[in-house]
Amino acid sequence: MTTQPRPVYVIGAGPGGLAAAAALRARGVRAVVVEKSDSVGASWRQYYDRLRLHTTRRLSALPGLAIPRRFGRWVARDNVVRYLEKYAEFHELELVTGVEVTRIEPAGPGPESEGEGEGGWILHASGGRELAAAAVVVATGYNHTPALPDWPGRDAYEGRLLHASGYRNPQPYAGQDVLVVGVGNTGAEIAVDLVEGGAARVRLAVRTAPHIMRRSTAGWPAQRSGILVRRLPAPLVDRLSVLVARASVPDLSAYGLPRPATGLYSRVKQGSIPVQDVGLVDAVRSGKVEPVAAVEAFDGAEVVLADGSRITPDAVIAATGYRRALEGLVGHLGVLDERGRPLTHGARTHEQAPGLYFTGFSNPISGMFREMALDAEKIAKAVARRSAKGAA
């Protein structure tokens, strides 16, 4: 009697999970995508309205399906969602929606297993489900759980405070005084969106001055430069980036946004991606966006800044990032670092967890979609090789 081999379970139906499932299917491996929401691309559906991919259409396609040319060079949020829907349909992916995987445990070792995880995995899911997997790909996303700093006085703040994940468009803030906290790509873009949408005043709280890059220069996208330099030594890229920045981005020091002291690629290695300019430079130079010191605390209706000054905005939008929130899922397996990030990614697996893969948990200078596409192919190859070895 033969038994049906256990599938590979892919957790998360975002771009990383869909790409991995399609690559596995192309190699003849059954892959089941489990998604806690009711549709693919759930995170993308919730982002702010004006968001576009900061990477080019051509360099952002997932394995086996190009992004339609009609979507333009910089693909809008709604078209990213359409592409992900079409991708799942085109590859005939096996999707299970409305089910949340809460914990992954090693299955009992098989007769020829050499260590933990060699006998596959058990996924504990909502509704008391237990799913048996030959291997698991965790693709729950880089932007999983909004991270809102525990500022003193935050809970008693008398103005409106929300995380950037709750921002959609500038309409509710027309005529208002708004403070945006955080000058990553999200904070910078929301600040510009507020200005263009009629906010009366927009301030941008800056703790660490960002590296700012043109999204494209003379038709050459910044992403291509990121791909070219990704394997070069960080000190060399740091020096090159200083020259590029001086030639392409004006010095905003007089406006409260100095050039950063730390090198661009050194910052990338620490997890901080450069800000791609989609209007911030002009908005700062024209005084429409005012950089201010970092937020230290809240006091009634006031926001206390790091330089001791106090301001009274109508609303505070915290573009303060996200947590991966993997601790409950895999934290007990010893596969996360001290910051809760996977110790391995792509085709590499931790020695304590063979057959457990991670994708989409880094923010590379070469573009996240591109790297997830490459990871997907590598993971599929590794899983197929492992399956063949197990069947031999």
Side-chain angles (χ1 to χ4, degrees):
M1 185 179 74
T2 60
T3 58
Q4 184 72 19
R6 290 168 297 180
V8 174
Y9 277 96
V10 179
I11 306 174
L18 298 179
L24 285 162
R25 194 175 188 281
R27 287 182 175 269
V29 178
R30 184 186 172 206
V32 179
V33 183
V34 184
E35 167 59 43
K36 70 177 182 179
S37 75
D38 60 1
S39 57
V40 303
S43 293
W44 273 90
R45 295 172 191 274
Q46 297 168 15
Y47 291 145
Y48 50 94
D49 295 349
R50 73 172 281 157
L51 179 64
R52 290 178 176 270
L53 278 178
H54 290 163
T55 53
T56 67
R57 181 191 76 251
R58 289 179 126 188
L59 295 174
S60 301
L62 303 179
L65 184 67
I67 299 176
R69 193 174 176 134
R70 68 180 182 277
F71 288 173
R73 193 179 199 195
W74 312 104
V75 184
R77 180 202 64 184
D78 289 350
N79 284 334
V80 172
V81 172
R82 291 187 183 97
Y83 172 67
L84 296 178
E85 290 174 338
K86 180 64 178 178
Y87 191 84
E89 178 187 337
F90 178 81
H91 287 291
E92 300 179 335
L93 300 183
E94 193 172 343
L95 290 169
V96 177
T97 58
V99 174
E100 181 178 8
V101 177
T102 55
R103 189 175 175 89
I104 300 173
E105 300 273 10
E112 298 180 5
S113 297
E114 297 178 0
E116 189 174 69
E118 289 289 353
W121 300 91
I122 298 296
L123 281 60
H124 298 272
S126 53
R129 298 174 179 85
E130 290 191 357
L131 310 172
V136 180
V137 181
V138 180
T140 49
Y142 188 81
N143 295 337
H144 187 276
T145 301
L148 190 65
D150 189 18
W151 288 298
R154 184 190 78 182
D155 294 339
Y157 176 54
E158 295 173 10
R160 183 182 180 193
L161 170 64
L162 71 152
H163 188 271
S165 60
Y167 176 86
R168 293 294 174 269
N169 59 62
Q171 186 176 349
Y173 308 95
Q176 293 191 5
D177 182 338
V178 187
L179 172 67
V180 179
V181 184
V183 68
N185 278 293
T186 297
E189 194 157 357
I190 287 176
V192 172
D193 199 32
L194 288 164
V195 167
E196 295 176 356
R201 185 175 190 180
V202 178
R203 283 174 280 206
L204 185 60
V206 180
R207 185 171 297 279
T208 304
H211 286 275
I212 301 175
M213 303 173 60
R214 297 293 188 191
R215 186 168 64 176
S216 179
T217 303
W220 178 267
Q223 182 188 7
R224 285 201 179 274
S225 297
I227 294 169
L228 291 175
V229 305
R230 191 175 180 202
R231 304 298 179 190
L232 296 178
L236 174 59
V237 181
D238 287 347
R239 290 194 295 272
L240 291 172
S241 65
V242 169
L243 300 175
V244 172
R246 286 177 178 166
S248 60
V249 179
D251 186 357
L252 301 175
S253 299
Y255 304 92
L257 204 58
R259 294 194 189 275
T262 311
L264 183 149
Y265 204 27
S266 295
R267 289 272 289 277
V268 169
K269 296 283 190 181
Q270 297 165 8
S272 179
I273 291 295
V275 171
Q276 293 206 9
D277 180 35
V278 290
L280 180 66
V281 170
D282 289 344
V284 169
R285 293 176 81 186
S286 66
K288 294 177 180 177
V289 170
E290 308 167 50
V292 297
V295 171
E296 286 293 303
F298 290 84
D299 185 8
E302 295 182 322
V303 181
V304 184
L305 303 180
D307 60 4
S309 62
R310 291 170 175 255
I311 59 176
T312 313
D314 299 306
V316 177
I317 300 172
T320 46
Y322 295 79
R323 294 185 297 107
R324 302 332 134 223
L326 291 168
E327 289 80 5
L329 189 67
V330 297
H332 54 289
L333 298 174
V335 295
L336 304 178
D337 66 14
E338 67 282 354
R339 294 171 60 186
R341 301 173 305 181
L343 290 166
T344 61
H345 75 277
R348 291 175 53 236
T349 61
H350 197 281
E351 59 183 11
Q352 294 178 208
L356 179 62
Y357 303 89
F358 295 90
T359 183
F361 292 98
S362 62
N363 198 4
I365 195 172
S366 48
M368 188 178 285
F369 270 55
R370 178 180 182 273
E371 292 303 319
M372 287 189 292
L374 295 173
D375 276 354
E377 301 283 12
K378 294 173 184 175
I379 290 170
K381 185 176 180 180
V383 170
R385 188 188 306 120
R386 191 166 177 267
S387 298
K389 183 179 177 182

